């Protein structure tokens, strides 16, 4: 806090944001001053609020005069004025809070004569991490009295004198109050004082672009290489400049742990001073700053190496040089901002903070924010007594890209709109730079592990990545934060069922990457001949603003996730085991017997390798969502004991009955309408019995097995949920061209009425042949309408096919009428949540996050499958 | 589902009077949402044929079923096959005939035998054709079994799983119907109702005069009443006749339950298509023979399925538990024990009774197994001996911090149920993270399978591997950390060349070894 006597000063600089309190009795010229500042362009008219203005807003009057009224009336009017004032202040404070939240400047025009009145605003400012300034207008009592006499509605001598007394008291206490700055302005000097607005010191124009460098930790050599790589050139003055005028930004922790902390600090100090670079505050920076400041701090976690370096420097260059260096660096480090906001034309693009930041802190300054940016959110401890890092980035919604370091990750890690660029160069990892607006990375590999610490976070992360998931976090129910759907809560009872599945039946946890989401059917058909029809699917998407759709033929096989690695080294890196890959079912169980799986994956790998697939796509792995045909490959037992068995029973029952009824009719007996009814039912039974046969054929080993991918889920570089389905279909075609095991999927793109009608005809012809039907998808997988996700896919099953779902007599009018009462709301909700979980888990896998983080998504999706939904939907 | 009753010869038309259904009308009634229909295809002095057909409401059938979220419930043979459900639907329509109470004028025909042809189906039965044949032949019928259409363009099944059965013989209508009311549900694979007193009475009433002497009586009773306690109740009601049956059984020899199993085995070897059915039947027969399912370890079942080799399993299980308990008794530290993969809690229950044990955590992922284990522990608590194990949801693939620092962790016949490559990580979690003072691991010794003459098969269908003594020793060496020492033992009756049926490894923390 700074308190200054201001008469001598000619310029007062108002903060860019926060609260300015005017302090002065009535008639001291507050409103006049504000009018002047607005006129001069220093303030916007909307940046001032006054109690009078709010009295008008809430109570229609500025002042109620009760003087000279009979006692009862005076009492009533006085009470009313009090009430209006009370409400006006409440409204004003509300508005003030909102403006603080929005990082606005607000000047409050009221007398603020009592300490409590002022304190209230100090608290509001603290709460919102903005500055609060007092501007006191010191006007002689005579002048006040004279001005009051000239007013339309004079307050009266007595009140003016009373206020003047209060003001004197206020002047005395103002200096000791917790304002960030306070100014006392003599009335006589007011006209000579210039008012200006400060810029937000945290906000910087992006200009030609920035290169944000991760935690350097004294790895000066690597840093020098990186800066050269980024195109900065060393000038004669010893400063590095980029020919395009780009600026360097450090996320902090330039020193400690590594070999050349002083050189690294010198570099940043010089470049920051020259306006060529920026550096934010950080935990090591703060520690060293306090050390240089002479505080009693104990140095560890590599800070002691910094002190040793300094001792050597002092020994070599003498005490004076060391003292000079210390002073320079102390000022540099203590002055480092908590974080920086890089903006283009006033719009925030990038936030740089060492250990992270919360949205409500961005662009603001306070002790709390400074602390948060240094250390991250470190409240609480885990079961082992280690401080838990809360995941601040899951709460980031305000749209800027947040670049941070502090927490070592093996590679740059994107989570939502946050990017971690501390790749542990001092631990033998890499030094990373993130370039904006190009959004690319540049890295330099460390020459070696300089830290000499047993607890190397890179090694620990690699070692712990495959650690089994912690049951305590899961078994009693938990919540998964998904980027696309927000928080998804899973109940303990369903989690336990899923735990059982994973413990007994599924492929290993590390290799269980993704559970395909369930898919909802459309609303029931308006056409009385159908239960489902494409028209309702198209209508659903159009109603949600989707203009382009892709309809894909739905193969009747068994859903499978195919994970294929380029080689076993890649597998070891991603799943911790030397394996060619995995093929598993929609519930995570192994799809094939292990020998057949191995043969299949080996053939796929050879086919793809022959076409240099992995090199061309720069990937170490391939994850596909696919249908594997034929149906009997996986479901033979189910088909035999269920569908075929029931079909045989129905045909036998109805054929035998028909025979008898015909015989009775032939000899002239009355059989009523039973004969016709039985004929129709026998036909239905035959349709049922034939319906599944189209999807079955003989296979021997791998011959006859076909994989129809419909979604390329991931390569090592990332997932493809943001691509169009036309693109996914092209990938399927590409794969079909590379291996005979793959097949492409017939599809149609729907953009208008004509293509919609064409797709319906296609569906009708296909389903008349007994094919299952189509899946209709919005052009892009992730489509939102009114802020909400729309269904990623809708299946429209054929009229014939539905016999094997709803029974052989479902088309009988009475049955169909009843079935049309079906409710698919729960199915739709599950589809969206499972979709969000699937994307989230797979992204975590590709980012090589700890298995536990991936598994919580997978387990949640499996748990949802334990929550019963009508399986016919 | 249908039943066709035909009578040939003089007086055939009396059938309509015994059924109390006018041959010139179509008969239809609603019974529990099902349509029950009867029509005569012919009715004259020499030939009368009544066709009784039921079509249940498929949507109604599913309602209220506890498994209504299982898709297979919707595509369901219950809608078509002759089962106890069918009997329930037609009972009221056939009431007059079943009770033998036609109009006074026709009463004499009740006890008159007709040349009957009874056709019914579709039948979904896991009973081999030979047994079906026996069931009816013993009652004097000539039996014809016809299979449904099963002509698929791909390899699916050798023949249809539904049958249509035609019986020909001389019998009164009442007795014939009563026999069918018992035997149609016996043939069927499934019962739809709760089995209780009503079924016991029905068996008594409808079985009167033919069931007690039936050579397959035991099978019929077993498949009608299903549960040991219900069967017991039934048998208790007729001590005199029970005596008679025992004698009967002694004479017949091969028609006991074991005989049925023998039949099943034969069916399996001659007709591979029926293998699953036969195996299932064999299991049922084994249980019917009085084997207590609870005492039957999973391995025991596997060996019994093979219907060959000795049956040492019950004893081996016991020996294994005893060996583990013995080892733990010798430990100085045994206050807290973790039983991983505790299943239904047999071992945990024993560990809880050991002196000095104050806590047993029974870790098991399966909710059903945990529930059964809890029933067992509840009995233990009633007895008041020792402490009561605590069921814990968990498995070797997850980390549970509450298992850290215990005295003993036991993996009894667990590791062979997970893929060999996953065992390593699981054991590492135990030794490094949970760090018990001792870890006891038991697993089958594959070499010993030669004694069982298993011909290369594993002891249980779910075993992912079975190791030789050398393989197990190597694995233990690989898992061992510097903090532990290993001791290997055999459990069960030893063999000179093949060692013991079970092998056991004891990992002990080094400082613990010194103490002990």
């Amino acid at each position: 806090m700074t308190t200054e006597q201001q008469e001598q000063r000619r310029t007062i600089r108002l903060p860019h944001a926060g609260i300015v309190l005017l302090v002065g009795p009535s008639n001291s010229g507050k409103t006049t001053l504000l009018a002047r500042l607005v006129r001069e362009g220093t303030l916007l008219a909307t940046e001032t609020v006054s109690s009078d203005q709010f009295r008008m807003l809430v109570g229609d009057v500025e002042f109620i005069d009760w003087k000279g009224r009979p006692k009862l009336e005076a009492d009533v009017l006085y009470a009313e004025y009090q009430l209006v004032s009370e409400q006006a202040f409440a409204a004003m404070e509300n508005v003030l809070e909102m403006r603080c939240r929005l990082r606005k400047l607000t000047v409050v025009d009221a007398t603020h004569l009592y300490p409590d009145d002022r304190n209230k605003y100090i608290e509001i400012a603290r709460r919102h991490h903005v500055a609060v300034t007092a501007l006191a207008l010191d006007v002689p009592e005579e002048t006040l009295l004279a001005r009051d006499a000239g007013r339309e509605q004079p307050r009266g001598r007595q009140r003016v004198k009373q206020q003047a007394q209060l003001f004197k008291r206020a002047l005395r206490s103002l200096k000791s109050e917790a304002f960030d700055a306070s100014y006392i302005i003599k009335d006589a000097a007011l006209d000579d004082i210039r008012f200006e607005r400060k810029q937000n010191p945290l906000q910087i124009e992006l200009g030609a672009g920035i290169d944000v460098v991760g935690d350097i930790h004294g790895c000066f050599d690597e840093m020098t290489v990186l800066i050269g790589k980024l195109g900065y050139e060393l000038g004669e003055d010893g400063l590095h400049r980029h020919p395009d005028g780009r600026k360097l930004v450090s996320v902090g922790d330039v020193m400690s742990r590594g070999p050349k902390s002083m050189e690294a600090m010198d570099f940043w100090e010089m470049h920051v001073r020259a306006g060529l670079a920026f550096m934010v505050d950080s935990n090591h920076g703060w520690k060293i700053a306090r050390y240089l400041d002479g505080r009693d701090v104990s140095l560890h976690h590599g800070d002691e190496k910094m002190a040793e370096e300094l001792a050597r420097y002092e020994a070599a260059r003498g005490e004076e040089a060391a003292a000079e260096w210390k002073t320079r660096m102390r000022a540099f480090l203590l002055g480092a901002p908590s974080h920086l906001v890089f903006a283009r034309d006033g719009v925030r693009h990038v936030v740089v903070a060492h250990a992270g930041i919360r949205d409500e802190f961005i662009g603001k300054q306070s002790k709390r924010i400074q602390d948060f940016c240094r250390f991250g959110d470190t409240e609480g401890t885990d079961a082992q007594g280690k401080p838990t890092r809360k995941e601040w980035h899951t709460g980031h919604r305000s749209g800027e890209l947040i670049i941070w370091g502090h927490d070592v990750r093996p590679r740059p890690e994107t989570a939502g709109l946050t990017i971690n660029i501390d790749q542990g160069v001092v631990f033998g990892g890499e030094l990373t730079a993130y370039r904006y607006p190009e959004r690319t990375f540049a890295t330099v590999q460390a020459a070696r592990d300089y830290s000499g610490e047993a607890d190397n976070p890179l090694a620990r992360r690699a070692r712990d990545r495959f650690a089994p998931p912690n049951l305590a976090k899961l078994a009693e129910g938990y919540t998964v934060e998904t980027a696309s759907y927000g928080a998804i809560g899973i109940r303990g009872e369903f989690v336990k069922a899923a735990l059982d599945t994973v413990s007994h039946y599924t492929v290993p946890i590390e290799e269980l990457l993704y559970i395909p989401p369930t898919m909802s059917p459309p609303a029931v058909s308006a056409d009385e001949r159908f239960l489902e029809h494409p028209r309702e699917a198209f209508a659903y998407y159009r109603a949600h603003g989707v203009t382009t759709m892709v309809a894909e033929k739905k193969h009747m096989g068994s859903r499978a996730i195919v994970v294929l690695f380029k080689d076993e080294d890649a597998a070891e890196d991603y799943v911790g085991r030397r394996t060619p890959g995995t093929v598993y079912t929609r519930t995570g169980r192994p799809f094939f017997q292990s020998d057949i799986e191995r043969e299949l994956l080996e053939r796929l790998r050879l086919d793809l390798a022959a076409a240099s697939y992995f090199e061309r796509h720069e990937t170490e792995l391939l994850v596909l969502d696919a249908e594997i045909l034929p149906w009997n490959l996986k479901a033979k037992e189910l088909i035999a004991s269920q569908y075929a068995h029931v079909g045989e029973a129905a045909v036998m029952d109805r054929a035998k009955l028909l025979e008898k009824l015909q015989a009775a009719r032939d000899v002239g007996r009355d059989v009523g309408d039973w004969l016709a009814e039985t004929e129709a039912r026998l036909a239905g039974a035959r349709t049922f019995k034939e319906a599944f046969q189209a999807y079955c054929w003989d296979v021997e080993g791998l011959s006859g097995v076909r994989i129809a991918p419909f979604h390329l889920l991931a390569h090592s570089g990332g997932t493809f949920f943001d691509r169009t389905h036309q693109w996914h279909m092209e990938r399927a075609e590409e794969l079909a061209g590379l291996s005979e095991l793959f097949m492409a999927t017939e599809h149609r793109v729907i953009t208008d009425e004509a293509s919609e009608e064409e797709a319906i005809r296609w569906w009708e012809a296909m389903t008349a042949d007994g094919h299952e039907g189509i899946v209709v998808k919005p052009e892009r997988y992730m489509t939102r309408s009114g802020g909400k996700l729309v269904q990623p896919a809708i299946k429209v099953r054929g009229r014939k096919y539905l016999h094997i779902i709803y029974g052989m007599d479902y088309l009988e009018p009475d049955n169909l009428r009843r079935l049309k009462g079906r409710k698919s709301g729960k199915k739709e909700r599950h589809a969206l949540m499972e979709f969000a979980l699937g994307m989230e888990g797979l992204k975590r896998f590709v980012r090589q996050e700890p298995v536990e983080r991936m598994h919580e998504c997978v387990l949640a999706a499996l748990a949802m499958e334990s929550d019963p939904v009508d399986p016919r939907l | 589902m249908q039943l066709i009753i035909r009578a040939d010869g003089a007086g055939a038309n009396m059938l309509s009077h015994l059924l109390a259904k006018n041959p010139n009308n179509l008969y239809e009634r609603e019974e529990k949402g099902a349509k029950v229909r009867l029509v005569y295809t012919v009715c004259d002095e020499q030939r009368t044929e009544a066709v009784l057909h039921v079509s249940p409401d498929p949507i109604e059938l599913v309602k209220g079923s506890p498994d209504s979220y299982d898709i297979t419930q919707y595509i369901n043979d219950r809608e078509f096959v002759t089962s106890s459900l069918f009997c329930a639907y037609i009972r009221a329509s056939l009431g007059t005939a079943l009770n033998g109470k036609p109009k006074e004028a026709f009463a004499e025909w009740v006890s008159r035998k007709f040349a009957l042809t009874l056709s019914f189906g579709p039948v979904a039965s896991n009973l081999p054709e030979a047994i079906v044949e026996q069931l009816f032949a013993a009652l004097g019928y000539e039996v014809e079994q016809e299979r449904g259409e099963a002509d698929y363009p791909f390899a699916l099944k050798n023949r249809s799983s539904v049958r249509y059965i035609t019986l020909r013989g001389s019998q009164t209508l009442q007795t014939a119907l009563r026999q069918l009311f018992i035997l149609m549900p016996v043939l069927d694979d499934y019962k739809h109702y709760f089995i209780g007193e009503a079924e016991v009475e029905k068996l008594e009433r409808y079985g009167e005069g033919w069931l007690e002497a039936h050579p397959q009586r035991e099978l019929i009773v077993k498949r009608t009443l299903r549960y040991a306690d219900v069967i017991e109740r039934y048998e208790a009601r007729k001590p005199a006749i029970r005596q008679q049956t025992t004698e009967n059984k002694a004479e017949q020899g091969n028609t006991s339950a074991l005989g049925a199993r023998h039949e099943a085995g034969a069916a399996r070897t001659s007709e591979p298509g029926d293998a699953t059915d036969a195996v299932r039947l064999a299991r049922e027969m084994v249980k019917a023979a009085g084997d207590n399912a609870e005492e039957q370890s999973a391995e025991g079942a596997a060996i019994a399925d093979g219907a060959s080799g000795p049956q040492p399993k019950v004893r081996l299980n016991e020996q294994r538990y005893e060996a583990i308990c013995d080892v733990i008794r010798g430990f100085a530290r045994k206050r807290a024990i973790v039983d991983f993969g505790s299943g239904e809690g047999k071992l945990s229950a024993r560990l809880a009774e050991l002196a000095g044990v104050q806590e047993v955590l029974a870790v098991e992922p399966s909710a059903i197994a945990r529930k059964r284990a809890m029933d067992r522990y509840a009995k233990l608590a009633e007895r008041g001996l020792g402490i009561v194990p605590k069921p814990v949801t968990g498995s070797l693939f997850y980390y549970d911090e509450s298992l850290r620092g215990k005295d003993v962790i036991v993996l009894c016949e667990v590791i062979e149920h997970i893929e060999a490559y996953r065992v390593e990580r699981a054991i590492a979690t135990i030794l490094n993270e949970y760090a018990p003072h001792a870890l006891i691991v038991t697993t089958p010794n594959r070499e010993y399978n030669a004694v069982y003459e298993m011909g290369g098969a594993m002891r249980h269908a779910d075993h992912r591997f079975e190791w030789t003594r050398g393989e197990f020793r190597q694995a233990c060496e690989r898992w061992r950390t510097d903090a532990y020492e290993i001791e290997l033992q055999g459990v069960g009756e030893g063999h000179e060349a093949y060692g013991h049926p079970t092998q056991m490894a004891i990992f002990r923390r080094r400082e613990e070894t010194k103490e002990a």
Side-chain angles (χ1 to χ4, degrees), chain B residues 364-381:
Chain B
E364 170 58 42
S366 159
I368 297 167
R370 273 199 314 276
K371 167 77 180 61
R372 293 203 185 122
M374 278 158 85
D375 293 343
R376 184 188 308 273
Y377 305 153
K379 282 180 201 154
L380 206 65

Side-chain angles (χ1 to χ4, degrees), chain A residues 8 41 48 126 157 414 436 690:
Chain A
Q8 304 89 334
T48 67
R126 290 286 169 269
R157 286 184 66 84
T414 307
Y436 193 87
E690 279 152 20

Side-chain angles (χ1 to χ4, degrees), chain B residues 150-161:
Chain B
D151 46 340
Y152 300 99
F154 62 102
L156 184 66
K157 40 166 88 172
N158 291 336
R159 59 177 186 183
S160 172
S161 46

Side-chain angles (χ1 to χ4, degrees), chain A residues 624-638:
Chain A
L624 295 171
D625 197 345
E627 196 82 359
I628 298 187
L629 308 171
W631 192 29
N632 51 310
L633 177 67
K634 193 73 194 144
K636 185 175 172 185
E637 190 54 33
L638 176 75

Side-chain angles (χ1 to χ4, degrees), chain A residues 379-497:
Chain A
E379 287 161 14
T381 54
D382 68 9
Q384 277 134 44
K386 292 181 198 152
T388 51
R389 279 205 185 95
K390 285 196 194 160
E391 291 176 347
W392 57 270
H393 49 263
T394 56
H396 177 43
R397 299 274 182 276
S398 56
E400 309 89 347
L401 199 54
I402 300 177
I403 318 293
W404 65 297
H406 183 62
D407 197 7
V408 178
R409 310 288 162 103
R411 50 203 87 196
E413 192 170 299
T414 307
L417 280 169
T418 71
I419 303 178
N420 172 292
I421 57 166
D422 182 5
Q423 274 63 65
V425 62
V426 76
F427 296 105
E430 290 171 348
L431 183 63
T432 303
Y434 180 73
R435 320 197 74 179
Y436 193 87
E438 294 78 3
R439 295 173 183 253
T440 54
F441 296 95
T443 57
V444 169
Q445 174 69 44
R448 60 184 182 86
D449 176 1
Y450 299 100
S451 70
E453 286 177 37
D455 188 24
N456 181 323
L458 278 173
R460 189 177 62 223
R461 253 189 114 77
R463 196 175 60 236
D464 293 351
R465 214 179 111 220
F466 296 111
N470 190 346
L471 262 187
K473 291 187 197 161
L474 306 170
E476 301 307 322
Y478 62 97
T479 299
V480 184
E481 279 294 337
T482 63
S484 53
Y485 193 90
I488 296 176
I490 311 293
R491 286 180 20 214
E493 59 180 301
F494 300 134
V495 174
K496 285 193 173 120

Side-chain angles (χ1 to χ4, degrees), chain A residues 383-384 466-472 474-475 496 498-500 502-511 575-577 632 636-657 660-661 663-664 667 669-674 677-678 681 686 688-689 692-693 696-698 803-809 815 818-819 855 859 868-872, chain B residues 1-2 4 6 23-28 35 37-43 49 51 53-60 63 68-81 121-124 146-157 159-164 276 364-368 370 393-401 404 417-418 421-422 425 429 462 464:
Chain A
Q384 277 134 44
F466 296 111
N470 190 346
L471 262 187
L474 306 170
K496 285 193 173 120
L499 285 174
D500 190 9
V502 172
S503 298
H504 278 132
Y505 309 112
T506 70
V507 300
I509 286 173
E510 307 81 46
E511 296 167 40
V575 300
R577 179 167 79 100
N632 51 310
K636 185 175 172 185
E637 190 54 33
L638 176 75
I639 296 167
S641 66
Q642 201 69 38
Y643 295 99
H645 171 68
V646 173
E648 288 159 22
V651 168
M652 174 187 275
D653 190 31
R654 291 167 178 185
K656 290 280 184 192
L657 180 63
K660 289 295 175 190
L661 291 173
V667 299
R669 300 188 67 88
D670 172 27
V671 290
D673 56 1
W674 294 2
E677 188 193 293
T678 307
R681 289 191 157 191
R686 291 204 185 279
F688 171 87
K689 191 162 169 255
F692 64 82
Q693 295 186 23
C696 301
W697 57 81
D698 285 326
H803 280 90
I804 67 174
I805 300 298
Y806 283 99
M808 47 207 76
D809 307 320
N815 288 347
R818 283 190 290 171
L819 290 171
H855 188 61
L859 190 70
V869 173
D870 183 346
R872 298 171 299 177
Chain B
M1 48 186 85
Q2 53 190 289
I4 300 172
R6 182 185 170 103
N24 298 314
N25 291 346
L26 290 177
Y27 169 85
E28 175 167 330
K35 283 201 183 80
R37 289 170 166 180
L38 189 145
V39 61
Y40 290 87
T41 57
V42 59
C43 183
E49 183 176 73
V51 177
H53 186 269
V54 178
S55 29
D57 179 341
I59 293 166
E60 209 50 45
K63 254 190 205 165
S68 60
Y69 286 110
D70 176 359
I71 185 80
T72 58
Q73 285 292 302
Y74 296 89
I75 303 302
N76 197 318
D77 71 350
R78 299 298 92 193
E79 197 184 331
F80 304 102
V81 301
V123 172
E146 183 191 338
R147 293 272 171 174
E149 297 172 17
D151 46 340
Y152 300 99
F154 62 102
L156 184 66
K157 40 166 88 172
R159 59 177 186 183
S160 172
S161 46
V162 293
R163 279 176 259 186
Y164 197 76
T276 327
E364 170 58 42
S366 159
I368 297 167
R370 273 199 314 276
T393 305
S395 79
L396 290 171
F397 305 139
Y398 291 91
Y399 170 71
D400 182 349
E401 57 204 24
R404 291 189 307 170
H417 290 272
I418 61 182
Y421 65 83
R422 301 183 72 180
R425 191 166 282 159
T429 302
D462 188 50
R464 314 296 165 94

